[in-house]
Amino acid sequence: MFDDNSYLEKFSLKYSENVPKDYDISEIQFTYDFVFPVLKQGAGIDEAIGGVVKEYKLSEDYLREYFIENKYILNKAKMKDISAQLNEYNTKTLKKILKSHGIKASGKREKIEKRIIDNKLIGNEYYLSSKSKVFYKNKKRRIRIFNQYLSNHYYFNEFNEFYMDNYRKKEANIPIEFINIHIRKAIDEKNHESYVLNNQVMAEHFFKKENNRKMLVHVLKNYCMNINPIWKINDLEDHNGVLLETYENLVFLHDNFSKNTIINTFYFIWDSFDFEKIIVTKYDAYRILKDILNLKNIDKINSDLNNRFYENEDLKIKRITQKTLFDF
């Protein structure tokens, strides 16, 4: 019913387009994804780093250095232990170690040993620091909320900023309020696609929460806006008035609500839009909704809509009057 592949676009509050290349990579996220398997699943340090490298397509050297510099992992070996290890190698072998890592190998032994220590080529045994454990405790709630409800459609950096201002709120309200910010942005910009897709995300959220009544509201908001696409009046070519996801969601909801309940909710939602102009009248939208609930073929519905409205060269956009407002 909810096909994620149909709307994999991510929505940004800061960028309408040309989102920076690395905008989807967050240090908080990849640090959490490193700490969690070590702390909670018994993974080794190297194994956890490898998982982050694969997931985020980052350099292993960069990650290891980042975790060391920020003291998320600490070295078990003490300086005297490293010195003892160095003494086990002759100078020729130490030079080979440096060369194998692309590091200058010439000079006296003292300088060679310093390069090996500085580049952490010996005594490289690390463990998770107490800072990592505190990090996990402080960040797990926001990461869990984001991963469970928002990760497919939004950017963590923006959610993290929102979370910092709203972390005291009830957990159930946090993802809803964040999605609503995107819906309000779409309304302000009169962005049809963004409005429809963000309402689809909200409907999916309430489906997961088994709150069918609120799911119905957002499915009908999509139905009303998409059947009367007044924000894209100059771009109606190939427009489908009834999306497959909307059709399937209404059929699903009809198993939970009576036809009268769905239609009465439709009246309320349609009137709440306060359309200044309309392409499809409220009465036509009502009739089409009844067709959906009666399982009329979606292709036939969209074909009829295209012929009567979206592909009709003689289409006249109606201004809302008392007559069109109450055209039942």
Side-chain angles (χ1 to χ4, degrees), residues 56-244:
Y56 293 90
K57 296 180 173 53
L58 296 169
S59 157
E60 181 176 343
D61 290 340
Y62 161 75
L63 280 173
R64 192 178 297 276
E65 193 64 30
Y66 175 82
F67 294 142
I68 292 170
E69 284 185 1
N70 288 277
K71 296 183 170 54
Y72 290 115
I73 54 177
L74 300 176
N75 198 336
K76 290 180 180 178
K78 296 179 181 178
M79 195 63 212
K80 64 178 183 179
D81 298 325
I82 296 174
S83 296
Q85 283 184 265
L86 287 170
N87 289 334
E88 294 177 7
Y89 298 97
N90 60 35
T91 304
K92 186 176 181 180
T93 302
L94 293 178
K95 285 183 176 182
K96 284 183 179 179
I97 293 174
L98 287 171
K99 286 180 180 178
S100 69
H101 288 83
I103 301 170
K104 182 180 177 182
S106 61
K108 295 182 179 180
R109 183 178 176 99
E110 181 182 343
K111 289 185 177 180
I112 291 172
E113 288 184 356
K114 185 175 187 305
R115 289 187 203 120
I116 285 182
I117 293 170
D118 289 345
N119 288 280
K120 302 177 177 63
L121 303 182
I122 283 182
N124 193 12
E125 298 178 33
Y126 291 95
Y127 65 97
L128 211 58
S129 68
S130 58
K131 178 181 177 179
S132 289
K133 297 170 186 177
V134 172
F135 171 91
Y136 171 79
K137 182 180 179 181
N138 290 340
K139 303 296 190 293
K140 63 180 179 180
R141 182 174 181 253
R142 78 188 70 179
I143 295 286
R144 175 168 45 77
I145 292 171
F146 182 78
N147 288 345
Q148 189 170 356
Y149 301 114
L150 304 168
S151 60
N152 287 337
H153 313 293
Y154 305 102
Y155 293 97
F156 179 80
N157 286 324
E158 293 182 4
F159 171 72
N160 187 55
E161 290 180 15
F162 169 82
Y163 181 88
M164 292 302 293
D165 292 331
N166 294 273
Y167 68 93
R168 288 190 174 88
K169 294 183 178 179
K170 289 183 179 179
E171 184 169 320
N173 293 336
I174 290 175
I176 295 170
E177 291 187 20
F178 185 71
I179 299 170
N180 268 327
I181 292 175
H182 287 267
I183 292 175
R184 289 195 294 272
K185 180 174 183 279
I187 293 171
D188 291 341
E189 296 175 349
K190 291 183 166 48
N191 186 323
H192 178 91
E193 281 72 20
S194 180
Y195 180 86
V196 168
L197 293 176
N198 278 289
N199 268 288
Q200 181 74 358
V201 174
M202 189 73 92
E204 180 180 3
H205 174 80
F206 286 121
F207 170 74
K208 289 178 179 178
K209 302 297 286 185
E210 299 183 353
N211 189 331
N212 291 333
R213 189 162 294 279
K214 289 188 177 180
M215 176 186 170
L216 174 62
V217 168
H218 288 278
V219 170
L220 285 172
K221 283 184 176 182
N222 265 5
Y223 172 75
C224 292
M225 177 55 74
N226 211 60
I227 207 168
N228 188 39
I230 205 69
W231 291 343
K232 54 179 293 188
I233 191 65
N234 297 318
D235 186 27
L236 293 179
E237 186 178 355
D238 300 325
H239 178 74
N240 284 323
V242 179
L243 297 173
L244 178 60

